[in-house]
Amino acid sequence: MQFIDPHVHMVSRTTDDYEAMRAAGVVALIEPAFWLGQPRTEVGTFKDYFSTLVGWERFRSSQFGIRHYCTMGLNSKEANNEPLAEAVMELLPLFATKEGVVAIGEIGYDDQTAAEDKYFRQQIELAKELDLPILIHTPHRDKKNGTYRSMDVLEEHGCDPTKVVIDHCNEETAKEVLDRGYWTAFTIYPGTKMGNERMVDLMKHYGPERIIVDSSADWGISDPLSVPKTAALMLQRGISEADVKKVTYGNALAAYGQSGQMKESDWIDAPDIDRNEVFNGNSVLRNGRKADKIIH
């Protein structure tokens, strides 16, 4: 089977992770803009980070046979530094229109402050202006209220729920998100979000429609193979291959393909991998080494 991981922070992962993901069947991924573990203090750090998402990381992923896409946004944690947030908001339209950007996100609430609400709403309007899907980060604390509030705000702004992915859902929020027509994403990040055993139970209860599985693997204790591992467990527990493919491949493609930036042909018709290729003079081989073969 082939898989899409539609939420994974590869700037914090190693080349070993890319190799393992490709060997496990991951053919495409989406890297949402988010925070880096500590607050940034200058707008230039956002500019360089956004540039990495549409530049070097996109190239690095291609060198392992995985098509890389990203989302652009000011995350809710750092929205609370208002002077910095204002400067980042000026940058966003420039980067949101770059090749490979499939949504505005991940945006939403962390502590549900007034500043978070202000920049959440501004970014919803930016997504509407650019006709891009939206990726919603739901808070780890007070998740139910934060999730419901996020949907209320989206509806105040007249958003089409079929163009919005509500991520980090769980048993407490899934039914409401599905009932209101949104793409409903689950992060397989044991310890803080969702384990794959729980995901299997949710699939058996709700079925595959509008459900998406992702890893959100980042700089913390997380697993970039969560999507293929969860797929394997679903198959083992008797869920059909067609349904497993929907939640680990097809639904993500349908949701983010609405951007016009993500097409199945991007990886089906991808060129062979030549690791002698460089990006801004740098390659994944480093130190001027040369590859002795093309990877098909």
Side-chain angles (χ1 to χ4, degrees), residues 93-94 107 121 179 240 247 291:
L94 171 65
I107 61 175
R121 292 174 182 274
D179 286 349
S240 73
V247 302

Side-chain angles (χ1 to χ4, degrees), residues 88-98 126 130:
V88 174
M89 289 302 301
E90 292 183 13
L91 278 180
L92 274 181
L94 171 65
F95 284 96
T97 53
K98 297 285 189 184
L126 177 62
L130 299 176

Side-chain angles (χ1 to χ4, degrees), residues 104-105 107-109 117 119-128 132-138 146-167 177 180-183:
I104 296 298
I107 61 175
Y109 294 114
D117 187 72
Y119 295 109
F120 179 27
R121 292 174 182 274
Q122 287 186 18
Q123 291 179 94
I124 290 171
E125 287 303 313
L126 177 62
K128 290 174 63 180
L132 282 174
I134 298 172
L135 170 61
I136 298 298
H137 166 89
T138 56
T147 301
Y148 289 16
R149 181 179 178 186
S150 297
M151 292 187 289
D152 290 344
V153 169
L154 288 161
E155 287 155 22
E156 283 179 36
H157 285 260
C159 292
D160 177 354
T162 67
K163 294 194 74 170
V164 180
V165 177
I166 309 287
D167 208 350
V177 176
R180 290 167 76 162
Y182 294 92
W183 294 99

